[in-house]
Amino acid sequence: MNQLMLSERLKTVATYIPKKANFADIGSDHAYLPCYVCTKDIEAKAIAGEVNEGPFQSAVTNVKHYNLSSRIDVRKGNGLAILKESEVEQIVIAGMGGSLITTILEEGKAKLDKVNRIITQPNVDASSIRTWFYQNGFDLVKERIVKEDGHIYEVLVADRGNANSNYHPTLVKKQLLFGPLLLQEKSEPFIEKWQVEKDRKERAVKQMMQAKELDHAKLDCFKEEIQMIKEVLS
């Protein structure tokens, strides 16, 4: 049986799945993550959820290939709709935009009763997930920033509990944007990500200024974020 290889970002996600996990991987693609976790931990169980037919069939094939059909249940459906209530204790949502991840969590709130850990890996807009955790009783316990193949990814891990333990009352806005734990670390990929983001936002502001009618609210928001990025980078 060939060795299952995971990308760096998914390996990072896997490190935060506890031993003997009973988890759901939402948007599981080819079920690589559940297969990887369940081959390494014989007591782990998983549900792999996938909305698209191609990846769903691929997931079914992979689970059979690794003889994991008794421990990984592959289901076709949208978001957390594939789950029964109180069915899993951990949820992983990786490889999609932050606002989509937030929508999946918000729409599936009823399925989160027994969930004690949520692990997300947004491709963009991590701040919307932090905000959702903050407003819904999940404590952001780990943040990692990973560079792979020229892309920079953030991994956010939240446990049910004191949702504002890592936030300072006067710094919440800034911490939700950058990540309270990533801000303390200011790693090389973090600096690189926000340098690129600053340049992108500055270009956007220049373009907006040339419009016939100015969107003042959006302009102010971008300018405020640029100012915050400059402070963090300085």
Side-chain angles (χ1 to χ4, degrees):
M1 195 181 291
N2 57 327
Q3 185 64 34
L4 187 59
M5 300 298 284
L6 272 197
S7 64
E8 273 312 303
R9 68 183 177 88
L10 284 182
K11 268 190 197 157
T12 303
V13 167
T15 61
Y16 297 117
I17 297 171
K19 288 280 173 213
K20 304 181 186 178
N22 176 20
F23 72 101
D25 183 26
I26 304 300
S28 191
D29 211 8
H30 304 281
Y32 292 144
L33 180 71
C35 289
Y36 178 85
V37 171
C38 290
T39 49
K40 288 192 170 299
D41 179 359
I42 59 165
E43 292 183 79
K45 291 186 301 189
I47 294 165
E50 180 51 56
V51 73
N52 297 311
E53 182 64 23
F56 168 75
Q57 291 298 343
S58 176
V60 170
T61 303
N62 284 332
V63 168
K64 278 183 186 158
H65 174 75
Y66 290 102
N67 297 323
L68 291 167
S69 300
S70 63
R71 290 195 287 131
I72 300 175
D73 188 3
V74 184
R75 298 180 189 173
K76 191 176 174 199
N78 199 10
L80 304 187
I82 61 154
L83 300 175
K84 301 181 186 84
E85 283 181 34
S86 308
E87 194 173 21
V88 294
E89 289 160 15
Q90 303 87 21
I91 283 174
V92 175
I93 314 178
M96 52 187 95
S99 56
L100 177 55
I101 293 174
T102 305
T103 300
I104 288 170
L105 291 171
E106 185 60 31
E107 288 178 353
K109 258 186 189 175
K111 307 291 175 71
L112 297 175
D113 275 2
K114 284 277 179 357
V115 171
N116 51 41
R117 170 163 285 194
I118 300 173
I119 305 163
T120 65
Q121 179 269 297
N123 294 341
V124 291
D125 195 18
S127 61
S128 65
I129 300 173
R130 287 188 195 99
T131 304
W132 190 91
F133 287 152
Y134 186 74
Q135 292 169 346
N136 288 277
F138 279 87
D139 182 20
L140 189 67
V141 291
K142 297 278 181 193
E143 292 186 297
R144 283 275 297 281
I145 192 159
V146 182
K147 188 173 181 184
E148 181 176 50
D149 299 333
H151 296 284
I152 293 173
Y153 302 102
E154 289 178 50
V155 177
L156 313 180
V157 184
D159 290 346
R160 188 179 291 283
N162 178 9
N164 55 13
S165 70
N166 277 308
Y167 294 94
H168 190 279
T170 59
L171 297 173
V172 170
K173 197 169 189 178
K174 192 176 189 178
Q175 290 176 317
L176 288 172
L177 180 62
F178 298 100
L181 306 172
L182 295 176
L183 258 178
Q184 290 170 24
E185 217 177 281
K186 285 196 188 176
S187 66
E188 213 173 289
F190 175 90
I191 298 294
E192 186 183 333
K193 173 195 161 83
W194 287 106
Q195 187 63 57
V196 169
E197 200 60 30
K198 178 179 81 72
D199 296 345
R200 191 179 68 79
K201 284 184 191 294
E202 284 174 340
R203 281 196 304 273
V205 166
K206 267 186 193 158
Q207 284 177 330
M208 280 189 219
M209 296 297 284
Q210 290 163 3
K212 283 194 175 76
E213 286 188 30
L214 295 182
D215 183 341
H216 289 286
K218 197 172 183 182
L219 258 175
D220 289 347
C221 179
F222 269 50
K223 284 177 177 175
E224 185 187 12
E225 286 190 359
I226 290 166
Q227 189 50 43
M228 281 199 282
I229 296 169
K230 283 179 175 172
E231 285 167 14
V232 163
L233 293 177
S234 64

